[in-house]
């Protein structure tokens, strides 16, 4: 027996009636919410979607709009969305659709880098000089003689100009350009050591960004890794004892983003080159950072340049084009003509050779280096008095926006694995703000990256283009205004706090 609504039922009728009542209640609460959902066509007419429809087309925006509406329907039917929640979600629906599409499909955004890290891997590494971009723009908007000799009208080698410039800069016999330094290493190991042994110090079996591990690269190239020495100490005799008739190369790798200090010893490039000549085994050095010529600044004074390595007798060297060199992403392979020729003739080279953009920008940067012209990298070492004046002017821009900035001592870094753990002393500006303002700067237009230290926002102008200063000041002002508007206190999250 069951009692429902003052009536007595038997044989399960109460349960059926109760179920009917629950369905009725569900219908009364859910249907009105579902009816509040806009039709797709009406949603697409919202002004907030006009720009994304123009950018990505109506069909794609329609698909995204239907996905959002379907998600709302599911939440309504599951009972997880009430009137108030639905109102909030509908108010921002068009903007959310536009934002999602921009995040998934939008292009790269220009970022003002105020971190003090010059070769910032996450921000595209070294910026190209504005003069270089102006020089190459006409080449990229039309056709160019990338692989043609205009003298003969016949096909020509696309490496010819970059190779000549690198030969002139470094005094090398030959040079080859790949699409990055990892590709240069893989190409050389595959072309010169596949099926044979490569000897490497245990202290140089490094992993750098993107899980680039030397043992994995050797395995992928088909070469056999032979480890010598210990993590902290490797001598020339360790290499000598490991050499067999199957030895193809002696490999030395720059440690890049780490240093071993204390009780250490390593075989120098000059010592390995001498051993290589003695036993007739080529020596291959991965310099990594693209330091073409010696640099007497403290952060790079002890870093062997590509030219120095070749001068001491190393047979083959490789380095990056987009780090210390300051060019586009590229790999530079320089050394003995026969070794470079074997790499260029290998079938793998076609898969790792660069395109016209890389060659045109790299050649322009190399010409600039050859002429001794200044590069953006030089801003890391400004004259102290000149830099203080610049910081003072920028602080005045912020003061005009009602913001107070203090001049503090702050270290900059070369970055990109060059000069690891070697700060560049100098000064930056500190503002009373934390992670909330930092996040607002990242999401603003233009996007800005600084860092938070001890609950203060630090802006280092050494990595900021001078012509970007006004845009940076305005972005900082907008970020502070947006944080104050929502009542968020600009304090740092210790877990995410950090310096360059």
């Amino acid at each position: 027996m069951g009692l429902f609504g003052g009536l007595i039922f038997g044989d399960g009728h109460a349960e059926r009636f109760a179920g009917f009542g629950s369905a009725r209640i569900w219908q009364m609460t859910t249907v009105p919410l579902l009816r509040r959902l806009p039709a797709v066509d009406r949603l697409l007419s919202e002004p907030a979607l006009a720009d994304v429809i123009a950018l990505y087309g109506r069909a794609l925006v329609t698909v995204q709009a239907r996905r959002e509406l379907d998600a709302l329907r599911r939440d309504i039917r599951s009972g997880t969305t009430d009137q108030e929640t639905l109102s909030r979600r509908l108010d921002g629906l068009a903007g959310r659709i536009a934002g999602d599409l921009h995040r998934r499909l939008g292009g790269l955004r220009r970022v003002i880098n105020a971190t003090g890290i010059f070769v910032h891997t996450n921000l595209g590494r070294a910026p190209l000089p504005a003069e270089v971009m102006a020089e190459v723009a006409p080449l990229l908007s039309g056709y160019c003689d990338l692989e043609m000799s205009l003298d003969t009208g016949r096909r020509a080698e696309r490496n010819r100009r970059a190779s000549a410039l690198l030969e002139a800069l470094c005094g090398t016999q030959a040079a080859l350009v790949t699409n990055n330094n990892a590709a240069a290493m893989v190409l050389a190991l595959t072309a010169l050591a596949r099926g044979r042994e490569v000897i490497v110090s245990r202290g140089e079996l490094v992993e750098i960004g993107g899980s680039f591990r030397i043992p994995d690269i050797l395995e992928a190239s088909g070469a056999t890794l032979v480890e010598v020495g210990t993590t902290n100490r490797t001598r020339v005799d360790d290499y000598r004892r490991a050499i067999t008739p199957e030895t193809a190369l002696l490999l030395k790798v720059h440690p890049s983003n780490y240093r071993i200090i204390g009780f250490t010893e390593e075989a120098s490039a000059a010592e390995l080159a001498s051993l290589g000549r003695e036993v007739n085994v080529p020596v291959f050095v991965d310099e990594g950072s693209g330091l073409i010529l010696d640099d007497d600044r403290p952060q790079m004074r002890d870093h062997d340049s590509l030219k120095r390595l070749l001068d001491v007798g190393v047979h083959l060297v490789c380095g990056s084009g987009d780090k210390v060199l300051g060019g586009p992403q590229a790999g530079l392979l320089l050394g003995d003509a026969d070794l470079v020729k074997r790499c260029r003739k290998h079938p793998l080279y076609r898969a790792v050779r660069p395109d016209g953009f890389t060659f045109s920008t790299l050649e322009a940067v190399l010409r600039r280096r050859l002429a001794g012209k200044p590069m953006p990298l030089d801003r890391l070492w400004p004259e102290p008095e000149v830099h203080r004046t610049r910081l003072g002017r920028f602080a005045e821009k912020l003061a005009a926006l009602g913001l107070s900035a203090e001049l503090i001592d702050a270290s900059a870094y070369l970055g990109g694995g060059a000069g690891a753990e070697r700060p560049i002393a100098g000064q930056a500006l500190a503002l009373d703000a934390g992670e909330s303002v930092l996040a607002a700067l990242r999401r603003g237009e233009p996007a800005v990256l600084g860092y938070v230290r001890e609950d203060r926002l630090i802006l280092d102008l050494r990595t900021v283009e001078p012509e970007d200063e006004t845009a940076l000041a305005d972005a900082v002002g907008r970020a502070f205004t947006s944080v104050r508007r929502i009542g968020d206190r600009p304090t740092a999250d210790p877990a995410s706090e950090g310096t360059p």
Side-chain angles (χ1 to χ4, degrees), residues 272-273 276-277 281-284 309-310 313-317 334-337 339-340:
L272 282 183
R277 288 191 297 273
V281 174
V283 176
F284 177 28
L309 290 167
L310 293 166
V314 170
H315 300 83
L316 194 67
V317 296
L334 300 82
D336 291 1
L339 298 178
V340 173

Side-chain angles (χ1 to χ4, degrees), residues 341-406:
K341 182 179 179 180
R342 287 169 62 185
C343 294
R344 182 171 58 82
K345 292 292 186 182
H346 194 277
L348 181 60
Y349 178 61
R350 186 171 182 84
V352 299
R353 67 179 184 177
D355 61 2
F357 170 80
T358 301
F359 273 109
S360 59
T361 50
L362 177 63
E363 290 163 13
V365 167
L366 292 173
R367 284 193 294 270
R368 195 173 183 85
R369 288 284 187 183
L370 196 59
K373 293 180 179 179
M375 296 288 289
L377 176 64
D378 298 328
R379 289 201 308 267
L380 282 182
W381 293 272
E383 291 294 329
E385 195 57 45
V386 173
H387 189 56
R388 276 193 293 272
T389 301
R390 183 187 181 194
L391 289 171
R393 285 198 304 264
F394 188 76
E396 291 173 1
K397 290 178 184 288
L398 295 177
L401 299 172
L403 301 174
S404 176
E406 179 187 357

Side-chain angles (χ1 to χ4, degrees), residues 299-314:
Q299 290 72 25
M300 292 182 284
R301 189 176 295 150
D302 299 328
H303 187 110
D304 286 340
S305 67
L306 295 173
K307 185 179 189 310
R308 188 191 305 177
L309 290 167
L310 293 166
D311 286 347
V312 300
V314 170

Side-chain angles (χ1 to χ4, degrees), residues 299 380 410-412 423-427 462:
Q299 290 72 25
L380 282 182
S411 296
I424 303 171
Q427 293 181 309
R462 283 172 287 185

Side-chain angles (χ1 to χ4, degrees), residues 61-117:
V61 181
T62 299
V63 170
Q64 185 65 24
R66 284 178 175 153
R67 285 176 180 164
E68 291 288 343
L69 291 172
D70 286 343
L72 283 172
R73 288 189 188 95
R74 285 194 300 271
D75 290 347
I76 291 170
R77 286 169 176 156
S78 67
T80 59
T81 296
D82 57 17
Q83 290 276 6
E84 184 179 348
T85 304
L86 181 61
S87 295
R88 286 199 305 269
R89 294 177 67 177
L90 288 177
D91 284 344
L93 182 56
R96 190 162 62 251
I97 292 170
D100 288 345
L101 285 169
H102 280 313
R103 278 189 291 275
R104 290 195 299 113
L105 305 175
L108 293 171
R109 293 177 60 197
R110 193 171 189 273
V111 175
I112 296 178
N113 175 16
T115 66
I117 303 173

Side-chain angles (χ1 to χ4, degrees), residues 229-476:
T230 63
T231 301
N232 61 319
R233 307 200 89 186
T234 303
R235 303 177 180 88
V236 174
D237 282 344
D238 293 321
Y239 292 88
R240 186 189 302 275
R241 286 193 295 270
I243 294 172
T244 73
E246 292 303 310
T247 302
L249 292 171
L250 306 181
L251 176 63
K252 185 172 181 60
V253 181
H254 187 272
S256 184
N257 50 7
Y258 86 102
R259 284 191 301 157
I260 299 175
I261 60 174
F263 189 61
T264 63
E265 185 177 351
E266 67 172 308
S268 70
E271 291 172 323
L272 282 183
S274 177
L275 174 62
R277 288 191 297 273
E278 177 188 330
V279 298
N280 198 30
V281 174
V283 176
F284 177 28
V285 176
D286 173 23
E287 176 274 337
S289 298
L291 180 63
I292 292 282
L293 305 174
D294 289 350
D295 195 311
D296 62 359
R297 288 175 284 205
Q299 290 72 25
M300 292 182 284
R301 189 176 295 150
D302 299 328
H303 187 110
D304 286 340
S305 67
L306 295 173
K307 185 179 189 310
R308 188 191 305 177
L309 290 167
L310 293 166
D311 286 347
V312 300
V314 170
H315 300 83
L316 194 67
V317 296
C318 65
S320 295
D322 55 342
K323 292 184 179 179
V324 179
L325 176 60
Q329 178 173 296
L332 313 175
L333 195 60
L334 300 82
D336 291 1
D338 177 63
L339 298 178
V340 173
K341 182 179 179 180
R342 287 169 62 185
C343 294
R344 182 171 58 82
K345 292 292 186 182
H346 194 277
L348 181 60
Y349 178 61
R350 186 171 182 84
V352 299
R353 67 179 184 177
D355 61 2
F357 170 80
T358 301
F359 273 109
S360 59
T361 50
L362 177 63
E363 290 163 13
V365 167
L366 292 173
R367 284 193 294 270
R368 195 173 183 85
R369 288 284 187 183
L370 196 59
K373 293 180 179 179
M375 296 288 289
L377 176 64
D378 298 328
R379 289 201 308 267
L380 282 182
W381 293 272
E383 291 294 329
E385 195 57 45
V386 173
H387 189 56
R388 276 193 293 272
T389 301
R390 183 187 181 194
L391 289 171
R393 285 198 304 264
F394 188 76
E396 291 173 1
K397 290 178 184 288
L398 295 177
L401 299 172
L403 301 174
S404 176
E406 179 187 357
L407 201 65
I408 64 166
D409 291 334
S411 296
Y413 292 84
L414 186 56
E421 302 295 328
R422 293 183 177 179
I424 303 171
Q427 293 181 309
L429 291 174
L431 293 86
D432 186 15
E435 293 292 336
S436 54
V437 172
L438 190 67
L441 284 170
R442 286 197 311 270
R443 296 169 185 142
E445 186 58 50
V448 173
L449 252 66
Y451 63 95
V452 169
R453 188 177 71 192
E454 297 176 354
D455 291 348
R456 305 182 82 188
L457 172 66
I458 312 298
L459 300 175
D460 194 323
L461 298 192
R462 283 172 287 185
T463 46
V464 176
E465 297 284 350
E467 55 267 29
D468 283 338
E469 288 184 19
T470 298
L472 173 59
D474 291 342
V476 173

